[in-house]
């Protein structure tokens, strides 16, 4: 029985093993008579109808199922617009607030026979959620029908491209009054106001909270399932029905991931989710944040190129630039203070700068770079801007909308959010990200699909976590600043922070990490940390569990005190990542630990 069904599906649609399994489940659900009817129908279709959707995963619904198109889907066909974007097969943007790309923007293959339009009614029952696009493609094919059984690729491309939506207009709404409370009361779940999207028809996914839950999955995952959650596709390779299909793939008429290093449907759902939150055309997920930044720099800065970066940053990023790129690739580097716009300008004037790479906020002093300003300055000199937005998350800051070319996240932190999975991602335009993707396919550093699932699950609660962490951190920063045993607090939400105005302009929340200096030396600070009961002493940040570390020990212990001072790392500095524990418990814990000093 299983073999028969599997063979039948393979012949009829060229679907993969996943679909075979679902087909078995589907057929077992049906009665005998229905099965016979089905088989007859299959037989009819088998000859000439091949239709694979989204990476070779045709949607197969039992005929007894009702069409359950999502609201966006059902109205989507009215919203086709011509943006001039071409379907690239890798773009993974997402329909937001009435926009529509049907979730078919990637890995979309349609192969229709001449009598496709007649057959559409049969297929429509099973592919109801794809019908809008199918009709457009059919129309497009009919208009361009040259008698071949396979429509020419450009017809498919243009239909798919028509489903793309411009999201460039999205702009952060800035809080001109510099009023913290306004930021916290932002009714967009701490997300940026989507003013640029106002022109688009409102739908059920208008805030980052809803987008975080549904993007990349509900309207667009390329995996056949009626499950609410996205399945983990554990495979190393993707098979082809026959050699012609493989040739079609090689010549761009058929899309597949081919090999696990080049892509995975679970990971692609995740990438679409991040693209939706970052308002990016596309996203590439990699095995870690460091993998993301190193591949990015290798791909975008050629031998002999010049990088500008900032003094305060994750130490391993600086080590990669100074100890690997500079000596081995003949690359030169200028290191500026995050607020040093003149320094940036003169670096651009004096060098052929390929890339300005900076965190914002930075690690560990949470310095903020004026993303809009530096982007303008860099672009006027032809340099790309990459913002490592790990401390901000896509909810507190939209670096691309502010003008950056690329935003990078160590997803290990807030995006995963549960201290249980490592990964990193790069979002931006297809043009730029494809250069990085190409090298990534060679270098490896692939995210495991199980890890992709954990990220997808983590992101569903990102907005509530961030809301809580923003609020706890801001309140604790104020309490710490007023405490006699604390000499300085570094938190961009405080007016005392050197980049507070910039943060107010470009962020809608300031994150869950607060850095502060204890009134004392390395040992007093150590004593404070050891007296804390709730946070783990550990590297990393952004998860549900609070984490505390003393950077002088955790990240710079191999250096002398003077060596540490050269990087601005003070012995009394504490970096506290507020988790999701109750605010009053955290406050009591910090106060009791300070009382021991
Ligand atoms: C700002 C920043 N970027 C990148 C990274 C590297 O990320 P990962 O640990 O996922 O490799 C880190 C790690 O702490 C970080 O703090």
């Amino acid at each position: 029985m299983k073999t028969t069904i599997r063979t039948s599906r393979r012949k009829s649609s060229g679907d993969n093993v996943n679909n075979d399994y679902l087909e078995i489940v589907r057929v077992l659900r049906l009665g005998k008579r229905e099965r016979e009817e089905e088989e007859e129908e299959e037989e009819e279709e088998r000859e000439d109808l091949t239709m694979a959707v989204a990476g070779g995963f045709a949607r197969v619904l039992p005929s007894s199922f009702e069409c359950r198109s999502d609201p966006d889907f059902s109205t989507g066909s009215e919203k086709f617009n011509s943006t001039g974007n071409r379907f690239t097969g890798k773009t993974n943007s997402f329909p937001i607030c009435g926009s529509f790309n049907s979730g078919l923007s990637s890995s979309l293959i349609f192969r229709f026979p001449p009598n496709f339009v007649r057959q559409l009614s049969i297929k429509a029952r099973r592919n109801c959620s794809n019908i809008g696009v199918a009709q457009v493609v059919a129309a497009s094919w009919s208009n361009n029908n040259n008698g071949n059984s396979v429509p020419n690729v450009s017809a498919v491309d243009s239909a798919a491209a028509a489903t793309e939506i411009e999201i460039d207009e999205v702009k952060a709404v800035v809080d001109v009054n510099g009023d913290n409370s306004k930021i916290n009361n932002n009714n967009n779940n701490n997300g940026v106001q989507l003013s640029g999207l106002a022109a688009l028809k409102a739908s059920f996914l208008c805030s980052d909270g809803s987008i975080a839950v549904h993007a990349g999955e509900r309207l667009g995952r390329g995996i056949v399932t009626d499950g609410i959650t996205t399945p983990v596709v554990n495979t190393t390779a993707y098979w082809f029905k026959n050699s012609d299909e493989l040739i079609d793939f090689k010549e761009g008429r058929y899309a597949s991931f081919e090999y696990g290093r080049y892509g995975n449907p679970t990971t692609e759902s995740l990438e679409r989710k991040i693209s939706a939150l970052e308002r990016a055309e596309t996203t590439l997920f990699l095995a870690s944040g460091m993998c993301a930044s190193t591949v990015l720099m290798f791909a975008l800065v050629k031998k002999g190129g010049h990088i500008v970066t900032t003094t305060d940053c994750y130490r391993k990023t600086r080590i990669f630039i100074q100890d690997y790129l500079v000596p081995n690739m003949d690359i030169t580097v200028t290191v500026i203070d995050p607020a040093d716009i003149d320094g940036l300008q003169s670096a651009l004037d004096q060098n052929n700068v390929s890339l300005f790479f900076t965190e914002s906020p930075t690690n560990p002093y949470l310095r903020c770079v004026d993303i809009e300003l530096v982007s303008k300055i860099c672009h006027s000199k032809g340099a790309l801007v990459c913002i490592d937005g790990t401390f901000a998350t896509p909810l507190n800051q939209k670096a691309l909308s502010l003008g950056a070319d690329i935003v990078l996240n160590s997803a290990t932190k807030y995006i995963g959010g549960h201290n249980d999975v490592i990964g990193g991602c790069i979002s931006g335009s297809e043009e730029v990200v494809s250069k990085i993707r190409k090298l990534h396919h060679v270098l490896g550093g692939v995210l495991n699909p199980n890890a992709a699932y954990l990220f997808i699950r983590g992101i569903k609660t990102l907005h509530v976590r961030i809301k809580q962490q923003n609020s706890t951190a801001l309140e604790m920063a104020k309490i710490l600043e007023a405490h006699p045993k604390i000499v300085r607090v570094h938190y961009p939400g405080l007016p005392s922070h050197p980049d507070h105005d910039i943060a107010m302009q470009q962020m809608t929340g300031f994150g869950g990490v607060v850095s502060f200096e204890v009134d004392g030396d390395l040992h007093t600070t150590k004593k404070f940390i050891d007296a804390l009961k709730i946070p783990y002493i550990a590297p990393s940040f952004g998860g549900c569990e609070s984490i505390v570390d003393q950077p002088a020990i955790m990240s710079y212990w191999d250096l002398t005190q003077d060596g540490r001072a050269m990087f601005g790392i003070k012995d009394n500095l504490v970096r506290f990542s507020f988790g999701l524990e109750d605010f009053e418990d955290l406050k009591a814990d910090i106060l009791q630990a300070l009382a021991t000093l």
Side-chain angles (χ1 to χ4, degrees), residues 287-291 293 313-314 317 359 361-363 388 390-391 408-413 422-424 540-541 575:
S288 70
M290 276 314 295
C291 184
S293 51
C313 75
Y314 179 52
T317 307
E359 294 159 16
T362 60
N363 188 358
D388 178 338
T390 302
F391 277 87
L408 182 147
N409 283 286
S410 164
T412 314
K413 312 301 187 314
I422 288 187
S540 205
F541 55 89
R575 193 184 72 175

Side-chain angles (χ1 to χ4, degrees), residues 103-123:
L104 298 171
S105 57
S106 114
S107 310
L108 173 68
I109 319 107
F110 287 97
R111 266 192 272 157
F112 297 116
N115 61 350
F116 169 72
V117 178
R118 179 180 64 76
Q119 300 233 13
L120 192 61
S121 58
I122 299 169
K123 264 305 183 199

Side-chain angles (χ1 to χ4, degrees), residues 293-315:
S293 51
T294 54
V295 177
L296 179 148
M297 287 187 230
F298 271 137
L300 300 182
V301 187
K302 298 275 169 277
K303 194 169 189 292
H306 192 93
I307 295 183
V308 180
T309 189
T310 51
T311 44
D312 193 36
C313 75
Y314 179 52
R315 190 175 175 204

Side-chain angles (χ1 to χ4, degrees), residues 297-298 301-307 321 324-333:
M297 287 187 230
F298 271 137
V301 187
K302 298 275 169 277
K303 194 169 189 292
H306 192 93
I307 295 183
I321 295 173
Y324 294 91
L325 285 189
V326 169
N328 300 328
M329 302 269 300
D330 206 16
I331 284 166
T332 48
V333 58

Side-chain angles (χ1 to χ4, degrees), residues 362-591:
T362 60
N363 188 358
Y365 285 106
L366 305 169
R367 300 293 306 276
C368 298
V369 172
D370 185 334
I371 299 171
E372 197 168 356
L373 182 60
V374 299
S375 300
K376 275 192 192 130
I377 294 173
C378 287
H379 292 162
S380 73
K381 292 285 185 175
L384 292 171
V385 174
C386 175
I387 301 295
D388 178 338
T390 302
F391 277 87
T393 81
L395 296 193
N396 281 332
Q397 179 176 281
K398 307 277 189 219
L400 299 175
S401 302
L402 290 161
D405 301 284
I406 312 146
V407 60
L408 182 147
N409 283 286
S410 164
T412 314
K413 312 301 187 314
Y414 293 99
I415 288 176
H418 291 71
N419 290 317
D420 60 0
V421 59
I422 288 187
C425 55
I426 296 162
S427 306
S429 68
E430 184 61 46
E431 190 192 345
V432 176
V433 176
S434 63
K435 291 180 187 156
I436 306 163
R437 186 182 287 121
K438 209 169 145 195
L439 182 61
H440 168 62
H441 288 178
V442 175
L443 293 179
V446 177
L447 188 76
N448 184 291
N450 298 288
Y453 180 81
L454 287 178
F455 282 122
I456 288 172
R457 189 165 74 164
I459 295 168
K460 287 175 198 287
T461 56
L462 183 63
H463 63 296
V464 281
R465 287 189 280 110
I466 292 297
K467 200 171 178 179
Q468 170 86 2
Q469 286 169 298
N470 282 346
S471 151
T472 300
L474 181 61
E475 287 314 304
M476 280 309 308
K478 288 176 188 164
I479 291 168
L480 286 164
E481 193 166 49
H483 199 283
K485 289 181 180 158
I486 299 297
V487 289
R488 188 157 176 202
V489 179
H490 305 265
Y491 189 67
L494 294 179
S496 58
H497 189 277
D499 307 317
H500 176 66
D501 290 347
I502 295 170
M504 291 298 289
Q505 239 179 64
Q506 66 188 22
M507 300 179 79
T508 48
F510 309 104
V513 175
V514 180
S515 295
F516 52 93
E517 295 169 37
V518 172
D519 188 8
D521 61 6
L522 184 115
H523 296 284
T524 314
T525 308
K526 208 160 126 271
K527 189 175 173 202
F528 161 72
I529 285 189
D530 290 345
L532 289 163
K533 294 189 170 70
I534 293 179
Y536 289 100
I537 299 172
S540 205
F541 55 89
C544 299
E545 297 89 356
S546 288
I547 282 182
V548 68
D549 84 80
Q550 193 172 351
I553 300 177
M554 183 64 75
S555 307
Y556 290 84
W557 197 236
D558 56 315
L559 302 180
T560 60
Q561 192 181 37
D562 286 348
R564 294 195 289 268
M566 276 174 59
F567 293 107
I569 301 300
K570 298 182 180 172
D571 283 352
N572 63 345
L573 184 69
V574 174
R575 193 184 72 175
F576 201 118
S577 168
F578 289 98
L580 297 183
E581 300 91 348
D582 185 77
F583 171 77
E584 291 301 333
D585 288 346
L586 287 164
K587 179 177 152 190
D589 192 28
I590 287 178
L591 292 180

